[in-house]
């Protein structure tokens, strides 16, 4: 029987958002502001300030900056976008000392029964969850499926042509990052509609392959688009030639080759937010300006 001491109480203090320039984090900040929450962001570089939002410059791997950012904070939205957890323990020590309510953004690709996860990106989330659980923190984990916003990585190709070339990856229930943010904010503000878990599984409404995503993009943009899967070794060479760091390239290729097919579709977004999770087609409609063809 679980006990959820961290949920159910609406808190009024400052919420610290990490990853606030990112796809999910910026949606989190916007929603917290709409709800009237006091927001502080941890940014690696100074950002333009907005009413009700304070920016503190720091780094997740720099415990002193995290300690400073945590002063007066009672809730933290935490991302760990690094490729290993080597630098995570000092952060967890700071979090344990400040004892906020903590919401960690993880991955639905974690296999709880596996000793090792399919690829380094999933492994880092599994390792991070384990570290956070061992830290006796007031923790809620939001495991997200593949974010629709990953599609933004195709926009340069789609500005210059009608073919998306890249490594293939197993079908998953692609989820709108706005739904992930809305679900996380519901948990952070205690607006969870009585749906209380220690780990939420956030998915979109349908399983999609890369080719199906590109077909939907084409249909919504009124263009004849197609996906061309590039073999892993060629994709790796191209990504390295583009100047991407080798550890990141290797992690992305491992995800492409080893990530398991998933048939997971949940209603956790709807149970938390009152709205069913959005379709990928709607995500494209709302973001179509980012995929325009250059004349
Ligand atoms: N993409 C997916 O399909 C997916 C699925 C499940 C889970 N997730 C997880 O969700 C999280 C957020 O995803 P996203 O797409 O919103 O990420 P994103 O757009 O790549 O943004 C990453 C954010 O983290 C910040 N950041 C990176 N390194 C940092 C450091 N050392 N210290 C402080 N901040 C740092 C970045 O700041 P800068 O602006 O300074 O770079 C940025 O704000 C990630 O941890 C990812 O692993 C993603």
């Amino acid at each position: 029987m679980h006990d959820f001491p961290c949920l159910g109480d609406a808190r009024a203090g400052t919420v610290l958002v990490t990853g606030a320039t990112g796809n999910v984090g910026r949606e989190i900040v916007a929603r917290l502001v709409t709800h009237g929450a006091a927001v502080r962001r941890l940014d690696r570089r100074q950002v333009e300030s907005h009413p009700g939002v304070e920016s503190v410059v720091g780094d997740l791997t720099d415990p002193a900056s995290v300690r400073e950012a945590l002063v007066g904070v009672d809730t933290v939205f935490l991302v760990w976008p690094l490729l290993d957890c080597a630098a995570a323990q000092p952060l967890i020590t700071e979090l344990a000392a400040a004892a906020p309510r903590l919401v960690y953004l993880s991955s639905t690709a974690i296999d709880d029964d596996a000793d090792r996860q399919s690829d380094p990106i999933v492994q880092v989330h599994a390792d991070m969850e384990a570290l956070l659980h061992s830290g006796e923190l007031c923790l809620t984990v939001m495991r997200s499926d593949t974010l629709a916003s990953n599609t933004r990585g195709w926009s340069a190709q789609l500005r210059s042509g009608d073919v998306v070339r890249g490594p293939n990856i197993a079908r998953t229930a692609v989820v709108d990052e706005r739904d992930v943010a809305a679900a996380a904010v519901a948990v952070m503000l205690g607006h969870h509609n009585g749906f209380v878990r220690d780990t939420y599984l956030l998915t979109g409404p349908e399983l999609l392959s890369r080719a199906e995503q590109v077909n939907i993009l084409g249909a919504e943009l009124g263009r004849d688009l197609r996906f061309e899967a590039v073999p892993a070794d060629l994709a790796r060479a191209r990504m390295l030639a583009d100047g991407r760091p080798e550890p990141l390239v290797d992690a992305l290729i491992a995800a492409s080759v080893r990530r398991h097919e998933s048939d997971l579709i949940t209603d956790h977004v709807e149970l938390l937010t009152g709205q069913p999770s959005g379709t990928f087609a709607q995500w494209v409609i709302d973001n179509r300006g980012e995929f325009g063809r250059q004349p």
Side-chain angles (χ1 to χ4, degrees), residues 18-26 41-45 58-62 77-82 104-108 121 124-125 142-150 175 177 259:
T18 65
T21 56
N23 292 296
V24 178
R26 81 172 77 99
R41 352 171 357 143
L42 180 76
D43 291 303
R44 288 197 287 181
R45 283 166 290 278
D59 194 298
L60 289 165
T61 63
D62 172 11
F77 174 73
L78 179 66
V79 297
W80 186 259
L82 287 83
Y104 175 62
L105 180 57
S106 184
S107 168
T108 53
I121 294 173
V124 84
H125 286 300
M142 316 292 297
R143 289 186 180 173
S144 168
D145 212 312
T146 307
L147 296 170
S149 50
N150 293 353
V175 63
E177 65 280 4
R259 188 78 55 91

Side-chain angles (χ1 to χ4, degrees), residues 5 19 26 88 92 117 120 143 151 175 226 230 245 288 290:
R26 81 172 77 99
I92 290 167
Q117 302 299 321
R143 289 186 180 173
T151 313
V175 63
R226 70 186 166 82
V230 174
R288 59 186 308 149
E290 298 180 34

Side-chain angles (χ1 to χ4, degrees), residues 95-111:
L95 289 168
R101 171 162 58 189
L102 183 63
V103 170
Y104 175 62
L105 180 57
S106 184
S107 168
T108 53
I110 290 176
D111 177 352

Side-chain angles (χ1 to χ4, degrees), residues 33 84 96 102 110 150-151 162 175 200 204 222 231-232 236 265 269 280 292 295:
V33 169
D84 65 57
L102 183 63
I110 290 176
N150 293 353
T151 313
D162 293 328
V175 63
Y200 295 93
R236 182 176 187 280
I265 296 178
V269 166
F280 182 65

Side-chain angles (χ1 to χ4, degrees), residues 137-169:
L137 298 155
C138 171
L139 174 68
T140 304
V141 175
M142 316 292 297
R143 289 186 180 173
S144 168
D145 212 312
T146 307
L147 296 170
S149 50
N150 293 353
T151 313
R152 293 191 167 117
W154 298 339
S155 60
Q157 293 190 66
L158 290 173
R159 274 196 292 277
S160 59
D162 293 328
V163 183
V164 174
R165 294 184 180 85
N168 213 348
I169 195 160

